[in-house]
Amino acid sequence: MADLVARGVAEDPAPRRRPPGSTDVARLAGVSQKTVSRVFNDEPHVKDEVRQRVLRAARELGYRRNNAARALTSGRTRTIGVVALGSALYGPASMLVGIERAVRSAGYALSVANTFEGDPDGVSGAVETLLQQGVDGIVLSEPIDEGPLPIDVDVPVVVFGRMSELSAPRVIMAGMSADVPAYAATRHLLDLGHPTVHHVAGPQRWFSARDRLFGWRRALADAGVVEVPYLEGDWSAASGYAAGQQLLTDPTVTAVFAANDDMALGLIRALIEQGRAVPDRISVVGFDDIPIAAYLNPPLTTVRQPFEFLAASALAALLRAIDNPQEALSQVSEPEVDLVLRSSTARYSASSSAPPADLGPDPPGPSESSI
């Protein structure tokens, strides 16, 4: 044997210790293997003291569930598929983080399929990929309008927004009151006495942008205010800046609701550059409450989105649909509107619509309403 080792032939390594199993956990916790199974399947009617004892034993032994084996016996992978728009925008990214936390907290795995604007089969291709992986349910986060989805979806689906083109047997709509925050933002400006409110909308292929446009329109209509033409941006600060340059051509503008904070940031930059002080001359409201919103000059009044709450509520409804396929679909709890009031809005004054005396005419803006 020594000669073999000298020639580079190693001795057989010691047999690898097998990973701990549920029987080992049961023995250490002093319970039956069935109880261990009930704990890790999140079944009811297990005393909390027993549940904690089993979980402590599992941690001590380094036990992990074999989800592959579990899938073979249960027919479920305990995996949630998420179709997310491949975007670094604050809203979609924050929603994806909230979904991931909710999925993991529920003891499920997460599989993400990103889509990109301009890909004609983005959503349908992503859904098909997730179905081929055998996911138990699907979340459509920040969907955009790609027309009808030509696929057969046979698992429960939760959608954030009003995606009417989706055809599936069990669809849960979350965020169905997404126009309400936009309504509140517009109403806030009207309640400050502004004659009307202009709107810098998001790209209308996004269902969330449509919701905010609808909320703005509904607030104007309820107040008996004639709707003014809206401008369409692309969520970027650059498009907000361009919208601000266009709004500068109208000296009567005193209030603007931007569909996200990035566009509001660009809008404020354009207004201040040309002497339209915010909020003295023009009040501005954004949407999302991005981390820097409180530190802008002036700090931005905006709608704070409860991403964690929305994700947890939607996932809870989806898991109930997975666990109880014969029951009626659960309703998703809608959050309260959280309008964060800061210094970018002020009460309307008739003098605010007068052009500044020490500046020349405002620079001409683009002729079209789409930025």
Side-chain angles (χ1 to χ4, degrees):
M1 176 61 73
D3 185 53
L4 289 175
V5 173
R7 294 179 184 180
V9 180
E11 295 184 17
D12 289 338
R16 182 178 298 175
R17 186 172 68 89
R18 69 173 179 83
S22 60
T23 54
D24 301 306
V25 175
R27 187 179 303 111
L28 181 59
V31 298
S32 68
Q33 188 174 359
K34 183 177 181 180
T35 298
V36 172
S37 176
R38 292 175 63 190
V39 168
F40 281 96
N41 285 330
D42 296 323
E43 293 181 15
H45 311 305
V46 177
K47 291 181 179 179
D48 186 63
E49 183 272 330
V50 173
R51 186 182 301 274
Q52 295 304 318
R53 185 151 32 104
V54 169
L55 294 176
R56 280 196 303 271
R59 286 194 298 268
E60 183 176 335
L61 293 171
Y63 168 77
R64 292 184 177 88
R65 288 182 301 186
N66 187 332
N67 284 332
R70 185 180 181 187
L72 289 174
T73 58
S74 68
R76 288 169 50 182
T77 62
R78 290 190 70 82
T79 300
I80 300 297
V82 179
V83 178
L85 193 64
S87 170
L89 290 168
Y90 178 76
S94 298
M95 180 60 76
L96 182 57
V97 169
I99 293 169
E100 182 176 8
R101 285 178 179 167
V103 168
R104 288 186 177 181
S105 296
Y108 277 67
L110 183 75
S111 180
V112 179
N114 282 311
T115 66
F116 301 92
E117 285 197 84
D119 181 356
D121 299 319
V123 174
S124 58
V127 170
E128 186 62 42
T129 296
L130 293 172
L131 291 175
Q132 290 174 4
Q133 294 175 11
V135 297
D136 297 326
I138 291 176
V139 177
L140 292 179
S141 177
E142 287 290 353
I144 58 177
D145 190 354
E146 294 181 347
L149 296 181
I151 51 178
D152 182 18
V153 183
D154 56 0
V155 298
V157 179
V158 64
V159 182
F160 287 98
R162 306 170 188 270
M163 193 175 183
S164 58
E165 290 80 4
L166 177 65
S167 177
R170 292 173 67 76
V171 178
I172 302 164
M173 294 294 185
M176 286 302 289
S177 299
D179 62 302
V180 174
Y183 181 100
T186 307
R187 189 75 216 189
H188 166 64
L189 292 167
L190 293 172
D191 289 343
L192 289 173
H194 292 277
T196 190
V197 178
H198 288 71
H199 183 41
V200 181
Q204 291 301 293
R205 290 185 66 219
W206 291 57
F207 290 98
S208 58
R210 294 180 187 178
D211 286 335
R212 293 167 203 181
L213 177 66
F214 179 73
W216 167 74
R217 280 178 163 159
R218 189 163 62 87
L220 293 182
D222 287 354
V225 175
V226 176
E227 181 182 320
V228 291
Y230 70 90
L231 305 177
E232 182 176 342
D234 62 8
W235 300 124
S236 71
S239 69
Y241 183 86
Q245 290 181 315
Q246 182 163 344
L247 289 171
L248 284 166
T249 64
D250 183 353
T252 67
V253 175
T254 66
V256 184
F257 164 49
N260 79 335
D261 289 346
D262 286 320
M263 292 194 297
L265 186 154
L267 169 70
I268 291 174
R269 171 69 181 270
L271 298 178
I272 291 178
E273 279 186 352
Q274 295 301 317
R276 299 286 187 90
V278 177
D280 296 341
R281 301 282 312 285
I282 298 180
S283 289
V284 177
V285 176
F287 201 104
D288 280 339
D289 195 26
I290 61 177
I292 65 169
Y295 302 96
L296 298 176
N297 187 19
L300 181 64
T301 294
T302 184
V303 175
R304 179 180 295 150
Q305 291 216 72
F307 297 108
E308 297 283 342
F309 176 87
L310 285 169
S313 298
L315 186 69
L318 180 63
L319 295 182
R320 284 193 292 270
I322 294 170
D323 293 335
N324 305 286
Q326 305 305 320
E327 293 184 7
L329 296 175
S330 302
Q331 297 295 316
V332 177
S333 300
E334 296 286 351
E336 297 290 331
V337 174
D338 189 2
L339 180 62
V340 182
L341 301 181
R342 298 194 179 106
S343 304
S344 66
T345 56
R347 184 159 294 280
Y348 168 74
S349 170
S351 62
S352 65
S353 61
D358 57 339
L359 293 177
D362 292 323
S367 58
E368 297 182 2
S369 65
S370 180
I371 303 301

